[in-house]
Every structure is written in structure tokens, then in C-alpha cells.
């Protein structure tokens, strides 16, 4: 199980995608209208521990959607 499973509609599988324990937010995009709510992209950098034990630096773009009074993660893309 991942720590975000209650706040996310996407799968970030630790065995395949690695484990993120700390991160630094490097950019927050503006809110964009989307269907019934709004979305925004948050860019972050993080050391990611791979299944092999190797730790690599990655830049991730997390797409978030406001649902009621909370934000839900609806996408994660790796830039590097």
C-alpha cells in the first residue's frame, strides 16, 4: 500500500516506480477549469529509491484536481 492511496486516483507502484519519502516543490501551476472543478500541476524533485536499492533524482509533475474541499492526485508524470 502507498501513503497516497486515499488521496489519489492513479497508481504509483513502489516496486515499479520507486519510493518517494521526501520531496521539494519547485513549481505550482495556476488552477485550470476542468469538468466540474479545477486542476493544477505541481512540479517536484525527489530522491527516488528504486527496487534495486539505487537512489535516483527524479522530477515529477503531479496533477491535482479539487474535489469538494480537498485536492486529489489524478496524474503523475516523470520528466527525468
Amino acid at each position: 500500500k502507498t501513503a497516497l492511496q486515499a488521496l489519489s486516483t492513479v497508481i504509483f507502484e513502489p516496486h515499479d516506480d520507486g519510493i518517494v519519502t521526501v520531496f521539494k516543490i519547485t513549481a505550482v501551476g495556476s488552477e485550470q477549469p476542468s469538468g466540474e472543478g479545477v486542476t493544477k500541476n505541481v512540479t517536484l524533485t525527489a530522491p527516488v529509491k528504486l527496487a534495486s536499492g539505487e537512489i535516483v533524482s527524479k522530477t515529477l509533475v503531479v496533477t491535482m484536481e479539487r474535489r469538494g474541499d480537498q485536492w486529489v492526485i489524478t496524474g503523475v508524470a516523470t520528466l527525468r
Side-chain angles (χ1 to χ4, degrees):
K1 294 184 177 185
T2 64
L4 289 178
Q5 75 183 52
L7 302 172
S8 179
T9 62
V10 296
I11 296 172
F12 194 83
E13 179 60 48
H15 183 72
D16 298 330
D17 302 308
I19 298 171
V20 175
T21 57
V22 296
F23 59 88
K24 179 180 178 183
I25 295 174
T26 58
V28 177
S30 60
E31 294 183 6
Q32 302 294 319
S34 173
E36 298 177 19
V38 295
T39 63
K40 68 171 136 181
N41 289 330
V42 177
T43 304
L44 54 97
T45 57
V48 179
K49 184 175 182 181
L50 305 178
S52 66
E54 178 184 9
I55 297 176
V56 297
S57 179
K58 289 191 178 184
T59 299
L60 304 171
V61 178
V62 177
T63 301
M64 302 175 70
E65 181 179 314
R66 183 184 294 276
R67 295 192 179 168
D69 61 348
Q70 79 177 40
W71 288 92
V72 177
I73 297 171
T74 58
V76 178
T78 302
L79 296 182
R80 59 179 163 116

